Amino acid sequence: MHETGLSEAIVEAAVRRAAGRRVTGLRVRIGGHPVDPEVVTQGIQVAAAGTVAADAAVDLVLEPMTVQCHDCGSSGPITDHLAMVACPQCGGVDIDVTGSDDVVLESVTMANAELGAV
């Protein structure tokens, strides 16, 4: 997954949703392939610079995919890309990979000049 493009798309969606209001927080759910949360958070902060989302707090919820091996019976979260093609325990390729690879902008918190954060 390319964290830069992902971060830019998240910020673009938040800015559209904010419709000119200042964004103070973002909650993003990322499923699927392993990503580095620090890289994604920094990418969002860089992409948000100079926009209404500059300096917004970022809350990432990571939901890794899981692998179930039919050969040895092991199961668990996918922690690297190799686990998507072979079992991390036995190396078997008779596996099922489950989970969503969706990225969802769950919420955008915006400042309201009269009421504080909304």
Side-chain angles (χ1 to χ4, degrees), residues 67 71 78 80-88 91-97:
V67 61
D71 291 335
I78 291 177
D80 64 37
H81 292 67
L82 294 176
M84 294 180 70
V85 294
C87 174
V93 294
D94 187 11
I95 60 171
D96 287 327
V97 176

Side-chain angles (χ1 to χ4, degrees), residues 32-105:
H33 307 281
V35 296
D36 184 332
E38 290 182 27
V39 172
V40 174
T41 299
Q42 288 175 347
I44 290 171
Q45 292 168 342
V46 168
T51 73
V52 296
D55 301 319
V58 178
D59 179 18
L60 292 181
V61 178
L62 302 180
E63 294 183 329
M65 297 174 108
T66 59
V67 61
Q68 170 72 43
C69 181
H70 295 282
D71 291 335
C72 73
S74 70
S75 65
I78 291 177
T79 56
D80 64 37
H81 292 67
L82 294 176
M84 294 180 70
V85 294
C87 174
Q89 289 294 114
C90 72
V93 294
D94 187 11
I95 60 171
D96 287 327
V97 176
T98 59
S100 168
D101 62 355
D102 292 340
V103 176
V104 178
L105 178 58

